[in-house]
Amino acid sequence: MYRQTSKLIIYGAIPQDSILMQMADIYRQADEGRTSDAVMTEEVYTQVRHLLETATKYGFDGNLWQNYLTFLLISTETPFSITCEKKGATEGASVNVFAKNDFDVFRSLFHYDFGPLEKKLGISCFGLLENYHAIDKSEKLFNRNVSDRVRELSPKLAAAESTDEFFDLVTEFYRHYGVGMFGLHKAFRVLSDGEKGVRFHAINNMETVHLSDLVGYERQKAKLIENTKAFVEGRKANNCLLYGDMGTGKSTSIKAIVNEYYDKGLRMIEIYKHQFKDLSDVIAQIKTRNYRFIIYMDDLSFEENETEYKFLKAVIEGGVETRPDNILIYATSNRRHLVKETWNDRSDIDQDLHRSETMEEKLSLVSRFGVTINYSKPTQNEYFDIVDHLAAKNGISMKPDDLHMEAHRWEMSHGGLSGRTAQQFINHLLSAQEG
């Protein structure tokens, strides 16, 4: 196996601690007589365990070895794969020769014969891994997006009758879905990495909520859809601020819109207020990718003495560098103007002659959002409509009058009228049924 992996050029930077490279090293040590059968068996079983862990993490079954190799191909970012992500493979390009060399290697690895190794060590495990049946396929245990992509592509690659066909399948996948973490995941958090800047952490199993799950707010949803649809289609679109009462579905709407347009290349990066100083670094890392990114800021507000809003203002509009066309900012807030005002801000008597200018600077932040959408508390009848919808969705059978009476009692002592309160009430009923 190490003879094959040593021929990799474009994909030669696959980490040495990966299952593939570790297995190749086991073969190398065996050929060079640098290891005993007992040690070799232990090392093989270690990689088998890692392969099973990977299968559980990503929901693989069937041929786990081929699934794993497919996962390597679609998650390894190289200049070649990122270029294919943007515009597909360029016919006649010199780099294609190197890529086909590597794909020829992977094609041979797809059908690698582990039989001699198993016979030498007196073990039997790879046969089981070629026809693996997962015990629990619950999507809550793994990222459904990754699992589906791998299980769709892997059998096609295994059946490829030539290196050219293998090349076409992989590069078409890059063009259609992308490569690496951005190609495989919907949403990300930003992690500071010291002097190395920032890195992205994929959010597995983001809530699979849809806009239809949000009862009412049709005008608000239509406005959000219109703006986002224009964005993913490459037309002009605006930054969005969703503001209003707590528990009315602002955050749910943004999560739902990402679920709605994920297949169109929409991705979401969640960032917190204390990370605004890293916004420029975040944008620098995603501005050249072939995706549309929503930078998501939940529950956005600033106290009087906080200055992070200046970083946000500079990024949204007014900075030296123009905001890339593939990035928008979507924020939610309970405050219409985002920044808390005090009587001092409004005082004409205050000794600070520039107090009014300070207030204007704070309030100008909201004007940087071209689309503002108000989510207000539902009326009691609208609240009952939400309860009815959630009850039907969850299979709760109660007479409408009884359901509404209990829902009213619940909201009186649990936060008032809102979609969140309605969901909490339904959770209470479901819990009582289970008990």
Side-chain angles (χ1 to χ4, degrees):
M1 182 180 292
Y2 68 91
R3 292 186 175 91
Q4 282 96 325
T5 58
S6 65
K7 296 177 183 178
L8 293 173
I9 301 172
I10 292 176
Y11 295 86
I14 291 174
Q16 289 301 310
D17 62 353
S18 64
I19 297 171
L20 174 60
M21 292 307 184
Q22 288 294 302
M23 285 297 302
D25 192 56
I26 290 171
Y27 275 93
R28 183 193 302 275
Q29 292 184 49
D31 281 0
E32 295 174 356
R34 293 191 286 118
T35 185
S36 66
D37 286 358
V39 172
M40 192 174 179
T41 299
E42 181 181 356
E43 292 178 348
V44 168
Y45 281 154
T46 296
Q47 298 312 313
V48 168
R49 185 173 69 253
H50 290 166
L51 192 57
L52 291 171
E53 291 169 352
T54 301
T56 300
K57 181 177 180 180
Y58 293 107
F60 300 158
D61 58 6
N63 193 314
L64 298 191
W65 176 247
Q66 292 178 352
N67 284 342
Y68 167 69
L69 294 177
T70 302
F71 176 72
L72 275 185
L73 285 169
I74 67 178
S75 62
T76 301
E77 295 183 359
T78 69
F80 172 77
S81 60
I82 291 177
T83 298
C84 290
E85 170 188 283
K86 294 178 182 177
K87 54 184 180 182
T90 303
E91 187 175 354
S94 298
V95 70
N96 292 351
V97 176
F98 299 110
K100 288 181 180 181
N101 167 84
D102 287 16
F103 292 151
D104 190 54
V105 170
F106 269 97
R107 187 163 167 260
S108 69
L109 290 171
F110 257 72
H111 305 286
Y112 195 83
D113 183 9
F114 290 99
L117 176 66
E118 291 183 308
K119 184 177 180 180
K120 170 182 170 59
L121 300 179
I123 61 176
S124 178
C125 55
F126 287 99
L128 293 173
L129 298 179
E130 291 173 1
N131 190 26
Y132 183 76
H133 298 283
I135 297 175
D136 188 346
K137 296 182 181 180
S138 171
E139 64 181 80
K140 292 182 179 180
L141 298 178
F142 56 85
N143 188 306
R144 173 65 66 182
N145 299 317
V146 178
S147 178
D148 289 348
R149 298 288 179 260
V150 169
R151 291 192 292 173
E152 176 187 353
L153 180 60
S154 183
K156 295 179 182 178
L157 294 178
E161 296 182 355
S162 67
T163 300
D164 285 343
E165 184 181 351
F166 198 101
F167 174 92
D168 291 342
L169 287 167
V170 175
T171 55
E172 181 59 28
F173 181 94
Y174 290 155
R175 181 68 184 92
H176 189 66
Y177 293 110
V179 61
M181 68 165 64
F182 292 130
L184 296 174
H185 300 274
K186 293 180 182 179
F188 308 85
R189 289 190 179 93
V190 174
L191 301 177
S192 297
D193 204 9
E195 295 180 356
K196 297 181 181 179
V198 300
R199 57 188 176 89
F200 301 105
H201 175 73
I203 300 174
N204 288 328
N205 302 311
M206 189 179 80
E207 187 178 1
T208 54
V209 63
H210 301 283
L211 287 171
S212 58
D213 296 325
L214 184 63
V215 182
Y217 299 99
E218 298 305 321
R219 180 183 59 81
Q220 290 88 338
K221 290 188 290 186
K223 201 171 182 181
L224 188 63
I225 290 171
E226 179 185 15
N227 191 71
T228 308
K229 187 171 185 288
F231 179 50
V232 298
E233 292 177 352
R235 295 182 281 119
K236 291 294 184 181
N238 287 296
N239 300 305
C240 286
L241 172 64
L242 282 59
Y243 71 94
D245 298 302
M246 294 184 294
T248 51
K250 302 183 294 295
S251 299
T252 299
S253 294
I254 294 179
K255 293 173 186 175
I257 208 74
V258 174
N259 288 327
E260 181 77 19
Y261 290 100
Y262 164 71
D263 286 340
K264 301 292 192 299
L266 186 65
R267 302 293 185 267
M268 182 179 80
I269 297 175
E270 185 175 24
I271 191 167
Y272 300 101
K273 186 165 57 177
H274 70 276
Q275 297 173 315
F276 284 179
K277 63 183 185 301
D278 297 321
L279 272 169
S280 295
D281 194 1
V282 169
I283 290 173
Q285 293 191 43
I286 62 177
K287 66 182 180 181
T288 60
R289 300 303 298 266
N290 193 36
Y291 305 95
R292 299 279 162 171
F293 291 95
I294 286 175
I295 296 180
Y296 170 50
M297 304 168 182
D298 191 30
D299 196 18
L300 184 63
S301 65
F302 300 96
E303 299 301 323
E304 183 183 11
N305 60 342
E306 292 179 322
T307 59
E308 288 89 348
Y309 71 92
K310 294 185 178 181
F311 292 108
L312 181 55
K313 282 179 62 177
V315 167
I316 295 179
E317 183 182 337
V320 175
E321 184 178 9
T322 304
R323 176 174 52 81
D325 292 336
N326 69 327
I327 297 171
L328 283 183
I329 293 175
Y330 280 20
T332 68
S333 179
N334 297 329
R335 295 176 180 172
R336 172 66 175 86
H337 293 113
L338 300 180
V339 182
K340 182 180 180 180
E341 300 176 60
T342 68
W343 285 110
N344 285 336
D345 287 325
R346 299 177 177 273
S347 174
D348 293 329
I349 305 174
D350 196 279
Q351 294 181 357
D352 182 1
L353 297 177
H354 302 289
R355 178 70 66 180
S356 61
E357 293 180 9
T358 302
M359 186 179 73
E360 286 299 323
E361 181 185 17
K362 291 178 180 180
L363 298 183
S364 69
L365 177 60
V366 73
S367 67
R368 301 302 206 268
F369 292 89
V371 174
T372 55
I373 307 174
N374 179 28
Y375 282 69
S376 57
K377 283 186 177 182
T379 64
Q380 187 162 80
N381 285 336
E382 289 170 338
Y383 170 70
F384 288 153
D385 287 341
I386 297 172
V387 169
D388 291 341
H389 174 85
L390 293 175
K393 180 180 177 181
N394 288 278
I396 295 175
S397 297
M398 288 180 65
K399 292 181 179 180
D401 289 346
D402 293 340
L403 181 65
H404 293 174
M405 181 177 64
E406 292 299 321
H408 176 61
R409 288 176 178 172
W410 180 269
E411 64 89 4
M412 289 289 288
S413 58
H414 292 84
L417 301 170
S418 73
R420 181 181 298 158
T421 302
Q423 182 63 67
Q424 292 169 347
F425 169 64
I426 296 299
N427 292 344
H428 167 71
L429 294 181
L430 292 171
S431 177
Q433 286 183 354
E434 292 173 358

